[in-house]
């Protein structure tokens, strides 16, 4: 465990954690498709509640009153093409620059506030990558994603033997003793640094206390039995080309995690850059996903890309339907779960990071609308994140480059 960067190094960033349990749990599932969607097939041509569904949104027709679609939104000063995927939930500027340093992601901000209420403060998942993550800590460190659904299933639902549980508790106790040592060393250092560095060390102590709190909570969870589910352990496709099968498995896993209240914040990176030619039943794909996204306006490539994009929408529709089918008291699981689907790319072919295709489903908002903003001078997407934080019951009026809450999006 390292100290924060001081004036003699680089600036540090840490936020004081607060938490407050709500009467009923609220959750967030954030999904980033890092090759985007064809804009002319995704975005509606009309705004408001009576908009005509675009070709892609036809796949979500049965749920049109359960989601809102946004156009003309982006992260201010987030550019750089492919590197921008790691900023999807952070909105940290200029990810392609040599001096780039990421900031805290939306899910980790949520985890800091309410993560102690569940066995897992958050889950960081991916399809076909363990290198590209949506989840970043307060000091800009990536949380490696898990791309094996079976391994996550084991962590969520398979109880270890008494000996294994005892061993894990010993590890947690050891972690706390390390924190005690580091805190002592840091306090010694604090006596000999300037005032600005003392402030940063205070922030560091706050983060240490937060981690200690999480470790203590984790110790308690280790002593409680894991939830029992009827679903079998998923079988991960061995072939990266079975991309859509992997996506569906991860969606099912997220639903199970929410259904059992094992966590309340999940991220999923859908990695397409290194994905080979996709194997989609009943469809003929002849080129790699990445090459198709850089179609150069070739109609042949665009036609194959539309097949892939439509499958993404079909699977998203299935996820929405599954969440709607699960009751949670007097509501559905979808009513209490915000599903954010979007991309770092507005146009992968041109490597542009504005006018991002964005959908928000569920979560207890008044949906069924297309919120259209200026496609040239985009509206800040982080404003949506502030609205989502507030819907989670987290007091917040600012996140990253936000200027307020999302205009036009109302709570139900």
């Amino acid at each position: 465990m390292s100290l924060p960067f001081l004036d003699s190094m680089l600036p540090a960033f840490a936020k004081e954690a607060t938490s407050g349990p709500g009467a009923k749990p609220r959750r967030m599932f954030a999904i980033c498709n890092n090759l985007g969607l064809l804009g002319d097939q995704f975005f509606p041509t009309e705004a408001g509640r009576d908009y005509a569904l675009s070709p892609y949104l036809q796949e979500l027709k049965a749920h049109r009153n359960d989601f809102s679609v946004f156009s003309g939104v982006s992260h201010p000063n987030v550019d750089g093409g492919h590197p921008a995927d790691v900023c999807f939930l952070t909105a940290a500027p200029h990810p392609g620059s040599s001096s780039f340093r990421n900031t805290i992601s939306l899910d980790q901000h949520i985890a800091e506030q309410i993560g102690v209420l569940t066995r897992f403060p958050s889950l960081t998942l991916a399809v076909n990558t363990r290198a590209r993550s949506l989840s970043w800590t307060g000091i800009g460190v990536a949380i490696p994603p898990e791309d094996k659904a079976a391994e996550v299933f084991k962590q969520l639902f398979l109880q270890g033997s008494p000996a294994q549980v005892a061993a894990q508790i010993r590890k947690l106790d050891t972690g706390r003793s390390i924190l005690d040592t580091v805190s002592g060393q840091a306090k010694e250092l604090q006596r000999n640094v300037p005032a600005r560095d003392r402030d940063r060390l205070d922030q560091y102590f706050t983060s240490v206390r937060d981690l200690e709190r999480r470790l203590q909570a984790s110790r308690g969870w280790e002593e409680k039995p894991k939830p029992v589910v009827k679903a079998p352990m998923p079988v991960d496709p061995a072939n990266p080309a079975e991309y859509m099968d992997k996506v569906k498995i991860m969606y099912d896993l997220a639903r199970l995690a929410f259904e059992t209240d094992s966590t309340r914040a999940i991220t999923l990176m859908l990695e397409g850059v290194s994905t080979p030619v996709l194997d989609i039943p009943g469809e003929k794909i002849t080129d790699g996903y990445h090459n198709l996204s850089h179609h150069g306006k070739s109609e042949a490539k665009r036609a194959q890309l539309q097949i892939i994009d439509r499958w993404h929408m079909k699977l998203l529709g299935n996820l929405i339907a599954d969440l709607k089918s699960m009751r949670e008291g007097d509501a559905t699981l979808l009513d209490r779960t915000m599903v954010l689907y979007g991309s770092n790319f507005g146009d992968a072919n041109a490597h542009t990071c504005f006018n991002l295709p964005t959908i928000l489903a569920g979560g207890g908002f008044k949906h069924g609308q297309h919120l259209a903003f200026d496609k040239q001078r985009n509206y800040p997407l982080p404003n949506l994140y502030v609205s989502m934080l507030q819907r989670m019951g987290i007091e917040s009026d600012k996140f990253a480059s936000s200027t307020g809450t999302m205009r036009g999006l109302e709570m139900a």
Side-chain angles (χ1 to χ4, degrees):
M1 184 173 181
S2 61
L3 287 170
F5 286 102
L6 305 178
D7 269 349
S8 54
M9 309 172 197
L10 290 172
F13 176 78
K15 291 182 72 68
E16 185 174 356
T18 59
S19 64
K24 297 178 181 178
R26 292 199 175 275
R27 309 175 177 96
M28 181 204 73
F29 185 18
I31 306 158
C32 176
N33 171 355
N34 74 355
L35 286 181
L37 299 162
L38 285 173
D40 61 339
Q41 300 296 305
F42 174 81
F43 292 113
T45 57
E46 303 162 300
R49 295 191 174 276
D50 296 324
Y51 72 94
L53 293 169
S54 66
Y56 285 177
L57 295 183
Q58 285 288 343
E59 303 293 344
L60 305 178
K61 182 178 180 179
H63 314 295
R64 70 167 293 153
N65 291 324
D66 299 307
F67 70 88
S68 295
V69 59
F70 304 86
S71 62
V73 297
S74 63
H75 293 315
N77 298 315
V78 173
D79 46 27
H82 287 295
D85 58 0
V86 301
C87 301
F88 180 67
L89 293 179
T90 70
H94 308 304
S97 68
S98 59
S99 60
F100 173 71
R101 186 175 183 83
N102 217 341
T103 52
I104 193 166
S105 55
L106 181 64
D107 63 303
Q108 291 309 298
H109 182 70
I110 291 170
E112 283 188 354
Q113 310 304 312
I114 63 172
V116 296
L117 302 179
T118 52
R119 185 183 295 272
F120 297 92
S122 63
L123 289 180
T124 301
L125 309 176
V127 169
N128 283 358
T129 184
R130 300 197 74 172
R132 310 298 294 174
S133 180
L134 294 180
S135 301
W136 294 74
T137 70
I139 56 173
V141 177
I143 299 174
E146 178 58 69
D147 68 343
K148 302 298 183 186
E151 292 302 316
V152 180
F153 186 92
K154 291 177 185 177
Q155 296 174 35
L156 288 170
F157 306 122
L158 298 190
Q159 191 74 33
S161 67
Q164 290 171 326
V165 172
Q168 182 63 26
I169 290 174
R170 286 196 298 272
K171 288 181 181 179
L172 293 169
D173 287 340
T174 301
R176 277 204 303 280
S177 68
I178 292 173
L179 285 176
D180 291 341
T181 301
V182 172
S183 296
Q185 293 171 343
K187 288 175 182 177
E188 286 292 324
L189 176 63
Q190 191 177 30
R191 299 192 185 102
N192 302 309
V193 296
R196 287 183 64 186
D197 282 348
R198 282 199 295 273
D199 290 341
R200 292 190 179 111
L201 284 170
D202 284 341
Q203 292 178 327
Y204 171 73
F205 295 146
T206 297
S207 66
V208 169
R209 286 192 295 271
D210 176 59
L211 187 51
E212 288 174 336
R213 182 168 60 92
R214 293 199 200 187
L215 286 172
Q216 182 60 46
S218 296
R219 193 185 195 283
W221 284 110
E222 285 298 328
E223 296 171 334
K224 297 177 183 177
K226 293 182 179 181
V228 176
V229 294
K230 295 180 180 179
M233 183 185 298
V235 177
D236 290 290
N239 186 352
E242 298 177 85
Y243 180 90
M244 294 301 173
D245 291 336
K246 290 171 175 272
V247 174
K248 183 182 186 308
I249 288 172
M250 286 301 187
Y251 284 176
D252 290 343
L253 186 65
R255 176 182 53 79
L256 281 174
F258 287 145
E259 184 182 344
T260 55
D261 201 27
S262 297
T263 189
R264 296 179 188 173
I266 302 177
T267 65
L268 175 62
M269 174 74 85
L270 303 180
E271 215 290 321
V273 177
S274 59
T275 297
V277 177
L278 270 61
D279 181 7
I280 300 179
E283 304 289 355
K284 186 176 182 180
I285 307 296
T286 61
D287 205 347
Y289 192 178
H290 185 210
N291 288 340
L292 292 175
S293 73
H294 294 58
H295 48 76
K297 299 185 179 180
S298 162
E299 286 304 318
K301 288 187 175 182
R302 279 173 51 89
Q304 293 189 50
L305 187 57
Q306 286 179 46
I307 293 172
I308 295 172
D309 288 351
R310 282 184 176 275
W311 266 93
H312 275 298
M313 293 294 97
K314 288 177 184 178
L315 293 178
L316 179 62
N318 291 342
L319 171 65
I320 293 172
D322 288 344
L323 293 172
K324 283 172 66 174
S325 71
M326 303 301 302
R327 300 297 304 181
E328 189 174 57
D330 57 355
T332 69
L333 198 55
L334 181 65
D335 292 330
R336 310 206 62 80
T337 302
M338 293 175 288
V339 180
L340 173 69
Y341 187 99
S343 178
N344 50 289
F345 271 139
D347 183 349
N349 181 59
H351 277 200
T352 58
C353 298
F354 57 88
N355 194 26
L356 304 180
T358 307
I359 290 173
L360 180 70
F365 289 98
K366 293 180 180 179
H367 288 305
Q369 60 181 332
H370 170 208
L371 289 174
F373 298 96
D374 192 324
K375 293 184 179 180
Q376 300 303 316
R377 301 180 62 183
N378 285 182
Y379 186 77
L381 183 55
N383 285 15
L384 176 59
Y385 297 175
V386 175
S387 293
M388 294 171 69
L389 287 171
Q390 292 183 1
R391 197 55 172 148
M392 292 286 294
I394 296 171
E395 293 184 9
S396 178
D397 57 7
K398 180 74 175 175
F399 184 84
S401 52
S402 68
T403 60
T405 54
M406 174 57 73
R407 188 167 73 238
L409 183 67
E410 301 178 6
M411 296 182 185

